[in-house]
Amino acid sequence: MSTTTDTLTIIRPDDWHLHLRDGAVLDSVVADTARQFARAIIMPNLQPPVTTVALAIAYRDRIYAALKLAGMGEGSFEPLMTLYLTDNTSAADILAAKQSGAVHGVKLYPAGATTNSAAGVTDLLGRCSLALEAMQSAGLPLLVHGEVTDPAIDLFDREAVFIDRVMIPLRRAFPELKVVFEHLTTREGVNYVREAEGPVAATITAHHLLYNRNALFQGGIRPHWYCLPVLKREQHRLALLDAATSGTGRFFLGTDSAPHSKGLKENACGCAGCYTALHAMELYATAFDSVGHLDRLEAFASLNGPAFYGLPVNQGKLVLQRGSYQIPAELPMADSTVVPLAAGESLAWKVVA
Ligand code: NCD
Ligand code: ZN
């Protein structure tokens, strides 16, 4: 890594949590990620969900086809596939996933927690023990959407309650299971991941590093800032920023870029998800710069993730330059448009190579 006040060169980063969707939306968004990242963990919450190796490999082929359509050469980007855990995932499904070499994690969506999670898990330890046992033995990580779905629990408390109700019993039952606490959003989550014994890590989004929940309501209700887990109070943002820039290997980059068309966001019941693939590294650089820690961005974006997943570090470089970059108002997406996070605002960093 090298930094001057105006240029930052880092090893090419990876995105450890990404939604690419499918069909015409996939065709529209895939190049945004491939321009900045060498690899990404691809979320399996399609409709129907990606529950088997065959479905994962077919989806990977569609991603490669979309890359080609976007004019990006073979080898420019590697999709790291995941399986969607259900109550019916078997130990054989897990073994096949591991042996495929294409699947790098298994995603837990508590049923009903977020977009396309209806087929998710209803009772993790009750229904998925054999799959979890197989994942632990195979060294295949469990990627966790860490929120309880109990309607009696306040939306803003669902991550903290998940730690007590699910994470702690899970880690007690499967102490060697690799677990990634996805899109961490709270101080309680940060403390848990810092202190947990065994192979536990977490991804952090750019939006949770840059914004607190005030962003949702600034001057009126702003649907493009709505995602799950929802933005939290300032004290939580500060804890996340501290964790991401601490140099600790357990925290790494995961954008959770989740495209929804403009019409589905600006709606009486708007979808959850922020589109950040377009300007992911600009957003992260802005966040790290805000606390004077650009020197820690490379570890967070390019080193900690591969170390946890047991994959090699990338070969190429990414260069960011200081300068005013205006985020576009919207971008074409399938037969509609997508509004990137913080559209129309300016950022102080731009990816240049
Ligand atoms: C994601 C989506 O739209 O698929 N939405 C989101 O708000 N992050 C699902 C998810 O990761 O929760
Ligand atoms: Zn997500």
Side-chain angles (χ1 to χ4, degrees):
M1 187 197 65
S2 69
T3 12
T4 64
T5 39
D6 293 323
T7 307
L8 174 65
T9 303
I10 62 169
I11 294 168
R12 193 147 177 246
D14 302 302
D15 183 350
W16 299 97
H17 183 127
L18 176 68
H19 300 269
L20 282 180
R21 314 304 191 200
D22 211 344
V25 172
L26 166 63
D27 291 343
S28 303
V29 302
V30 70
D32 284 345
T33 291
R35 266 193 295 274
Q36 300 203 341
F37 297 100
R39 299 172 290 202
I41 285 278
I42 310 300
M43 287 296 131
N45 61 331
L46 304 183
Q47 269 176 325
V50 180
T51 49
T52 65
V53 175
L55 288 169
I57 289 175
Y59 184 27
R60 188 176 65 170
D61 289 343
R62 297 197 297 280
I63 296 169
Y64 278 127
L67 278 166
K68 204 168 163 196
L69 202 67
M72 321 244 355
E74 183 105 335
S76 61
F77 175 74
E78 187 187 357
L80 307 173
M81 307 313 291
T82 60
L83 292 193
Y84 183 114
L85 186 67
T86 74
D87 287 350
N88 301 317
T89 306
S90 67
D93 292 331
I94 299 298
L95 272 186
K98 179 68 185 179
Q99 281 163 3
S100 74
V103 174
H104 295 266
V106 179
K107 181 70 191 277
L108 164 65
Y109 288 106
T114 187
T115 306
N116 298 347
S117 62
V121 169
T122 60
D123 172 9
L124 182 64
L125 290 181
R127 305 295 293 268
C128 302
S129 282
L130 295 175
L132 293 168
E133 184 83 59
M135 288 165 62
Q136 177 171 255
S137 314
L140 194 61
L142 179 70
L143 317 181
V144 172
H145 183 111
E147 290 190 288
V148 291
T149 54
D150 182 348
I153 305 297
D154 190 280
L155 183 76
F156 291 91
D157 298 333
R158 288 182 185 178
E159 184 172 292
V161 173
F162 183 89
I163 295 170
D164 293 329
R165 289 197 188 168
V166 183
M167 215 54 169
I168 291 173
L170 167 72
R171 307 253 346 113
R172 199 176 293 132
F174 300 98
E176 298 308 319
L177 178 67
K178 283 186 165 188
V179 179
V180 184
F181 207 138
E182 298 291 333
H183 40 51
L184 204 61
T185 65
T186 60
R187 189 174 56 181
E188 290 86 347
V190 166
N191 291 341
Y192 174 77
V193 171
R194 269 209 175 106
E195 287 156 22
E197 278 177 40
V200 180
T203 57
I204 304 179
T205 77
H207 40 290
H208 289 97
L209 292 176
L210 286 169
Y211 302 103
N212 64 35
R213 65 191 195 175
N214 288 349
L216 278 160
F217 307 108
Q218 203 175 297
I221 191 148
R222 300 203 300 172
H224 297 292
W225 270 262
Y226 175 57
C227 65
L228 286 170
V230 72
L231 294 171
K232 304 294 193 305
R233 287 176 181 273
E234 179 66 359
Q235 59 169 350
H236 299 293
R237 186 185 77 87
L238 294 174
L240 293 166
L241 200 48
D242 185 61
T245 62
S246 64
T248 313
R250 287 189 168 194
F251 300 100
F252 43 85
L253 185 157
T255 62
D256 195 19
S257 178
H260 292 278
S261 71
K262 182 178 175 176
L264 288 177
K265 293 286 291 175
E266 298 176 9
N267 192 291
C269 187
C271 292
C274 299
Y275 190 62
T276 54
L278 175 75
H279 47 338
M281 289 308 297
E282 286 87 347
L283 292 165
Y284 280 109
T286 302
F288 275 62
D289 202 12
S290 73
V291 287
H293 268 313
L294 282 171
D295 59 320
R296 302 267 168 87
L297 184 59
E298 182 174 61
F300 178 77
S302 315
L303 302 176
N304 298 347
F308 186 84
Y309 276 87
L311 292 169
V313 167
N314 296 318
Q315 294 290 323
K317 299 277 183 202
L318 184 88
V319 184
L320 289 122
Q321 222 162 56
R322 199 185 289 280
S324 184
Y325 158 57
Q326 211 196 348
I327 304 166
E330 53 189 90
L331 307 160
M333 186 176 77
D335 54 5
S336 171
T337 62
V338 62
V339 176
L341 186 74
E345 294 182 19
S346 287
L347 295 172
W349 287 90
K350 178 77 195 117
V351 171
V352 291

